[in-house]
Every structure is written in structure tokens, then in C-alpha cells.
Amino acid sequence: MEMDDATLERYARQVLVEEIGYDGQCAILQTPLRVTAPDGVWRDLVCRYLSAAGFPITVADGVDPALVVSGEKYRQEIPLGSDIGRLMMAVGQAITRVILSTASEK
Amino acid sequence: MYHVAVVGAGAIGNPVAFGLSQHWAIGRVTIIDADRVVLSNLARQPWFQTGDIGAYKAPLLVERVGGHQSVIKWQAITEMLREDNAGSLLADADLVIDATDNWETRLTIQDWARKWQRPWIFNSAVRLEGMSLGLIPGGPCLRCWFGTSQTEGPQCFEAGVLGSVTLAVAGQALTLFDQWVRNPRQPSGLWLVDGIEGKFRVISPKAMRCVHYGNG
Ligand SMILES: [Zn+2]
């Protein structure tokens, strides 16, 4: 795949990160992920960040108090219920891991 | 209920505003940013969309994050924080969260904070790494922690950064805010996001007397 100019500009700051690069961003754009979690602000947060990074996502209602991000090759689970700040930290790190492992498969 | 001012509505300001909107101790939030949305913001400022390009960030962020809330009073200011307007823009803030990407503005926040004896929380993110640090009146200042030459460091527009890293940094800022709410006199350590290792680290508070500000 190739990114057009607008797509490249949109993800420019991610592409500039050495561990991602052009091919890594292309991999992200072609890696569908599923977010399973109870409806609410935290599921919305995870979806926002994954979509913004370029992943095609689908959303499913979860019953467990957890945020689950799953793809063909991996699964990340973040338990809900800690402090707001701690949960934001955990969600941020989990999404970074998803981005890095996707980009490294390029 | 606290009034928190957030300087910057970009990659750190977006999730900081979200975190504050969920926080029980917040009564009022002021978001200060003179920038408008551009295409390259969207990958890490996910409360903005393609249709927002060209619009001021601060009022958009307030609308998206706080628009449906009645408990917290939200205010957007589309000015750049400078030495000559810091006094009026930050006037009633109990605490300031730095969500900028430059040292000049951080030092402006700090000068204001020292003058009025208010706490503030420094944040930064570059590549896969981030930092947060709570600074309280009487404790070590930014210059004590980083030295005076740090102001020349690489800016994020050159180096690239991930939105998920800025989200983790905002989470640290919210955690430091919690810490301050619980004990306003406790000095903070330097909190580090390591996105490569997937870890967080805390460097212990410095036991030093600030020599940079008169009232110390
Ligand atoms: Zn000092």
C-alpha cells in the first residue's frame, strides 16, 4: 500500500517516530482491531485513540469491567476501576504496545 | 472544588481535559490556546476531526469534552499565554497544568506560579517517552530539576510523537493532581513514561532549596 499526501501528512508525527516509520504506518492502516468493553467514556477513549492512530476498528459490548483490544495476533486487556489518572496511563501504554507490535510486523 | 487552568489544547491538553472532566474534585476548567487545528494534529489530538481544520482548538475542546456537563464550569481562551497576560488569564486558578510544547511558556507559567505561590504540573512528550512533574511553592523549580540549558532541547514538531504516549503523560498529570489534592505540601517525583519498555518510572523528589526564585 501507499499513502497519499493527505494521509501521510495526517500521520506525519507518527511516521517520524523511528519505530513506526512509513511501513509501520501502512501496517497500522491495514490492521483491523476490535474493542470490547462496556459502553461508556472509557471505551470511547480507547476507540478514539486507536482510530486516530489509523487502525480500522469495530466495537462490541463487553460485560466484564475491562477494556479489551484484540486483533488477529494479540489481545490486550485493561481492567476498569482504578483512578482516572492510572487508567489513562494504562490505556496509553496498552495502545503504544498495540502500535509498536503492529508496526514491527511490517 | 478546584479551578484548574490547562495551558495548551493539543496532544497533552486533549486527554488532560478528558481526565479533568471525569474528576470529582474539579469545579472549573480554563483552557488556554491560540492555535487552530491542522491536519497533522488529528492522529494524536483525537477530540478533533477533519471538519475542525482551521478552527480554534480551545473552544472546540471545551465543546467536545465539557459541553454536556453542568457540574464543571468550562472556559476557553484563544490567546497565547505570555508574561504580560499570565496574571489575568490565570488569575483564579488553584493549579496550572502545562500542556504546551515549549520551555518559554513553561517558564512563564512557573514565574506566575512562584509569584502567587501556586502549584503547577509540568508535562512533555517526545517520540516514545514522556515526563510529568508536580512543582509546589517552596520546592525545587524547573531549573533546579533540568538546569538552565534544557530550554534548547528538541521540540516535538521535529522528532515525532505518539498520541498514546501523550495520553499516558496526561494520565501521570492527573495522578499528580490527585497527589496534590491529598497532600498539597508533598513534593512530587519526576514521572517518566517509557513507551518502548511499556513501563513507568518515578525519580524521587529532589531535596534541594531553590536558588532561582526569591521567595523560594
Ligand atoms: Zn530553582
Side-chain angles (χ1 to χ4, degrees), chain B residues 115-135:
Chain B
K115 184 175 175 189
W116 299 101
Q117 300 281 296
R118 304 283 166 81
W120 70 288
I121 298 171
F122 156 83
N123 297 286
S124 79
V126 69
R127 289 181 286 267
L128 297 168
E129 286 158 14
M131 297 191 275
S132 307
L133 173 66
L135 296 136

Side-chain angles (χ1 to χ4, degrees), chain A residues 6 9-11 13-14 16-17 19-20 41-42 45 48-49 52-53 83-86 88-93 95-97 99-100, chain B residues 15 22-23 39-40 42-44 46-47 50 128 156-157 160-164 168 170-172 174-175 191 194-196 198-200:
Chain A
E9 192 187 336
R10 184 178 186 124
Y11 301 108
R13 297 284 194 83
Q14 272 180 195
L16 277 172
V17 175
E19 289 80 358
I20 317 279
V41 291
W42 293 100
L45 181 77
R48 264 179 208 282
Y49 273 88
D83 296 343
I84 295 157
R86 296 280 179 181
M88 289 166 66
M89 289 165 68
V91 170
Q93 287 287 44
I95 294 176
T96 301
R97 277 195 292 278
I99 291 173
L100 289 179
Chain B
Q22 302 299 311
H23 203 290
L39 180 59
S40 63
L42 304 182
R44 64 192 186 295
W47 276 267
T50 326
L128 297 168
C156 77
F157 54 82
V161 66
L162 294 190
S164 52
Q172 292 190 144
L174 263 289
T175 305
W191 286 50
D194 179 344
I196 293 185
K199 284 179 183 159
F200 295 98

Side-chain angles (χ1 to χ4, degrees), chain B residues 68-198:
Chain B
H68 43 81
Q69 281 188 333
S70 52
V71 183
I72 301 174
K73 187 171 172 268
W74 293 81
Q75 188 191 2
I77 297 172
T78 54
E79 283 179 62
M80 196 183 157
L81 188 80
R82 297 179 313 264
E83 211 183 312
D84 63 354
N85 66 11
S88 62
L89 299 191
L90 300 174
D92 311 317
D94 298 304
L95 178 142
V96 177
I97 296 182
D98 154 42
T100 67
D101 56 4
N102 71 86
W103 291 85
E104 194 186 338
T105 310
R106 288 174 184 136
L107 292 173
T108 302
I109 297 170
Q110 175 162 275
D111 288 347
W112 172 88
R114 291 289 158 146
K115 184 175 175 189
W116 299 101
Q117 300 281 296
R118 304 283 166 81
W120 70 288
I121 298 171
F122 156 83
N123 297 286
S124 79
V126 69
R127 289 181 286 267
L128 297 168
E129 286 158 14
M131 297 191 275
S132 307
L133 173 66
L135 296 136
I136 54 172
C141 77
L142 209 54
R143 289 185 183 92
C144 295
W145 272 94
F146 296 106
T148 45
S149 59
Q150 183 61 249
T151 53
E152 307 300 319
Q155 301 278 319
C156 77
F157 54 82
E158 298 156 2
V161 66
L162 294 190
S164 52
V165 173
T166 56
L167 172 60
V169 166
Q172 292 190 144
L174 263 289
T175 305
L176 289 172
F177 172 71
D178 274 335
Q179 213 174 75
W180 174 77
V181 168
R182 278 198 303 270
N183 183 358
R185 291 179 165 278
Q186 188 192 334
S188 130
L190 176 64
W191 286 50
L192 303 170
V193 177
D194 179 344
I196 293 185
E197 295 291 325

